[in-house]
Amino acid sequence: MSDLAERMMAEIRDSSDPEKEAQLRRYFREPIETHGLTSQQSMDIARKYYPEVKGDLERAMSLTGELMSHRNLSYSSVALRMLERFSRRLEPSHFPVFDGWVEHLTNWATTDHLCTKIIAEAVKKDPGLAERLLEWTGSDNRWRRRAAAVSLVPLARRGEMLGDVFRVADRLMTDGDDMVQKSVGWMLKEASKRHPEEVRAYLLRWREESPALILRYASEKLPKGMRVLKTRH
């Protein structure tokens, strides 16, 4: 463990709020480790220690890996907020490192933070990485499957990679885990903002097989007359 990681973890622990920690534990259905930091506290600690890694992407990534390996929501939040400052320098070559971090995920909040702010940057620069996301859809790990969809959310929002959005969705449209279902619905909802007709046609093809939750989430931004929901018998 690096000295920097130890100092950051100590400050996070010292900033802990037992009441907020208890609230967070109740908020997440799955068991989580956390010190109950608010978003502002996480940002403040990340800002405080950023000068120690400024300009050194590899050190920042090593630090992120150290903190995320503890599988603690607060440690991961601070680390990812710091790494966000390097987002323009993240490259497709870093994807194998991100792949390893996915194994440390234990909740939807850290999953979505990692995917939308970090992994999506690499995929944007190399859309061919969608093939790796497709591999994730077959994982037994619910957070890796969720990550496959959420990593495309920022790109779907811009109307990009629609074909890959549908390919990832194809693998997850009948997934039985609601955390995965919500991620697929979110991805398709974002895609629908630029491609409403295409997404509607896609949902119609899956209407009978797909869980109602996916259809409902995916249809949220479609005009009322275009929404695709489960048919009632």
Side-chain angles (χ1 to χ4, degrees):
M1 178 68 65
S2 68
D3 172 69
L4 177 55
E6 288 182 351
R7 285 187 283 121
M8 291 178 66
M9 289 167 60
E11 178 149 353
I12 290 169
R13 290 193 297 270
D14 290 344
S15 304
S16 65
D17 180 339
E19 184 177 337
K20 181 67 173 176
E21 181 179 332
Q23 289 176 353
L24 283 171
R25 291 182 186 278
R26 290 194 297 269
Y27 182 69
F28 287 86
R29 288 183 305 168
E30 60 275 0
I32 63 163
E33 295 297 324
T34 181
H35 291 294
L37 269 63
T38 64
S39 294
Q40 188 61 53
Q41 286 177 305
S42 295
M43 287 189 286
D44 289 344
I45 294 174
R47 186 181 302 114
K48 175 180 177 179
Y49 288 95
Y50 171 68
E52 298 196 38
V53 299
K54 185 177 181 180
D56 191 340
L57 173 60
E58 296 311 314
R59 188 180 183 203
M61 290 188 61
S62 177
L63 176 66
T64 301
E66 284 187 274
L67 293 177
M68 288 195 65
S69 69
H70 290 272
R71 304 188 176 195
N72 181 293
L73 177 63
S74 300
Y75 295 159
S76 297
S77 177
V78 172
L80 291 170
R81 287 184 185 282
M82 184 180 287
L83 191 61
E84 282 180 51
R85 292 169 176 256
F86 294 86
S87 62
R88 292 185 179 179
R89 294 179 55 192
L90 298 174
E91 297 292 338
S93 59
H94 295 125
F95 191 89
V97 177
F98 305 152
D99 186 294
W101 293 350
V102 171
E103 285 302 305
H104 301 318
L105 297 174
T106 62
N107 61 82
W108 61 263
T110 306
T111 300
D112 296 357
H113 194 170
L114 172 64
C115 293
T116 60
K117 300 298 184 181
I118 305 300
I119 297 177
E121 289 297 318
V123 178
K124 178 172 69 175
K125 292 179 180 178
D126 181 6
L129 288 172
E131 298 301 324
R132 299 292 299 277
L133 301 182
L134 282 170
E135 293 174 10
W136 291 3
T137 64
S139 173
D140 290 335
N141 183 333
R142 70 191 306 203
W143 304 117
R144 187 173 287 278
R145 299 200 308 280
R146 181 178 175 96
V150 178
S151 294
L152 289 176
V153 162
L155 296 146
R157 185 177 297 135
R158 293 193 291 267
E160 300 171 9
M161 297 182 65
L162 183 63
D164 293 303
V165 165
F166 288 154
R167 290 170 69 209
V168 167
D170 280 345
R171 306 282 184 91
L172 299 173
M173 287 296 281
T174 58
D175 197 292
D177 191 306
D178 67 338
M179 286 289 102
V180 179
Q181 292 173 16
K182 289 176 180 178
S183 71
V184 179
W186 181 18
M187 175 180 66
L188 291 170
K189 175 173 67 177
E190 295 299 336
S192 76
K193 295 174 182 178
R194 300 289 185 95
H195 301 286
E197 296 287 350
E198 293 92 331
V199 171
R200 181 175 190 271
Y202 180 83
L203 295 176
L204 284 171
R205 291 200 301 273
W206 279 98
R207 174 186 267 173
E208 297 306 318
E209 296 177 66
S210 179
L213 183 60
I214 293 180
L215 298 177
R216 187 169 74 250
Y217 268 55
S219 293
E220 281 181 356
K221 295 300 180 180
L222 289 171
K224 258 187 180 177
M226 293 180 64
R227 291 176 190 172
V228 178
L229 303 176
K230 273 292 189 186
T231 52
R232 294 179 180 178
H233 299 288

